[in-house]
Amino acid sequence: MANKAHPARQQQLLAVLIDADNASAAIVEGLFEEIAKFGVASVKRIYGDWTQPNLGSWKKVLLDYSIQPVQQFAYTRGKNATDSALIIDAMDLLYTRRFDGFCLVSSDSDFTRLAARLREEGLTVYGFGEEKTPKPFVSACDKFIYTEILRADAGEAQAEPVASDDKPQPSAKNEQPDEPLKTPDKPKAQKVPVDFIAKVIEDIDDEDGWVQLGLLGSNISKLRPAFDARLYGFKKLSDLIKGHPKRFELQVRGSSATGGEALYVRNRKVGK
């Protein structure tokens, strides 16, 4: 997905709002590394009742990552006042017109309407939550990243190779595809939706069937905000494509010497 930063800025200016009740402190390092890919985290706030012991793990990392804790007492048992505080702050920040996008960190579907409202104002919304996150919230975001792949212990061990009838082959530069990742909650990678990817390529390809890889990734995200190559055992979309040579062709265009190199992909013709 292409970042649409303010004309006067090179990077998107982002507001990061974390629901401490529905996010684990184990993701904090991976979370901000991921956010850095999209822009600059100008505001970093985390919401919860800090008098409760269940947020102790978050307290240990707040200073290290310069995250501002926002105290919100529970007015009534069983009611989550934290959600309301986060939503009110998000709307206040929205109307400052200072930000290009928001990062909403929660697995709670209560933020679905907030995400939709922010997008109505033309801002980019990045969602971060566990795989249990309800689909309406996922779909309301421009991009949704499952936090299982961001945990601090996510890359300590390698997963088994992804089951497939295709054998990974070297790229045009004889590079081997990156090894699959392993997450603590998901030891085996999900099945790659090759038919879905092939359909997207078919919808946007040129006369010869080729699609620029970045454009392919952008269109996939529009249709499935939670699509992430790491969920299928690959670090990047290009590695996923390389890992299925019976279904896809990858072509390098341009010159690496001039920095104008680009990757193109197309569906492999039957029988080829």
Side-chain angles (χ1 to χ4, degrees), residues 35-50:
I35 290 172
K37 299 176 184 178
F38 305 128
V40 177
S42 177
V43 168
K44 294 182 281 186
R45 298 179 186 174
I46 185 168
Y47 301 78
D49 184 352
W50 300 99

Side-chain angles (χ1 to χ4, degrees), residues 73-117:
F73 292 103
Y75 300 123
T76 305
R77 180 171 296 181
K79 298 293 183 180
N80 193 346
T82 298
D83 293 1
S84 298
L86 190 156
I87 291 170
I88 291 170
D89 270 12
M91 296 309 295
D92 286 343
L93 292 169
L94 167 65
Y95 290 122
T96 67
R97 306 298 179 188
R98 293 164 42 210
F99 300 94
D100 302 297
F102 279 74
C103 299
L104 303 179
V105 186
S106 179
S107 302
D108 193 338
S109 62
D110 288 348
F111 298 113
T112 301
R113 180 62 186 130
L114 173 61
R117 182 68 182 87

Side-chain angles (χ1 to χ4, degrees), residues 7-26:
R9 293 192 285 266
Q10 294 299 316
Q11 291 184 295
Q12 285 190 320
L13 200 62
L14 304 173
V16 181
L17 306 180
I18 305 171
D19 174 10
D21 295 326
N22 285 284
S24 168

Side-chain angles (χ1 to χ4, degrees), residues 71 87 110-111 148 188 190 201 221 250 258:
Q71 170 63 31
I87 291 170
D110 288 348
F111 298 113
E148 282 85 354
K188 291 186 178 180
Q190 299 178 18
I201 293 173
S221 292
L250 195 64
T258 61

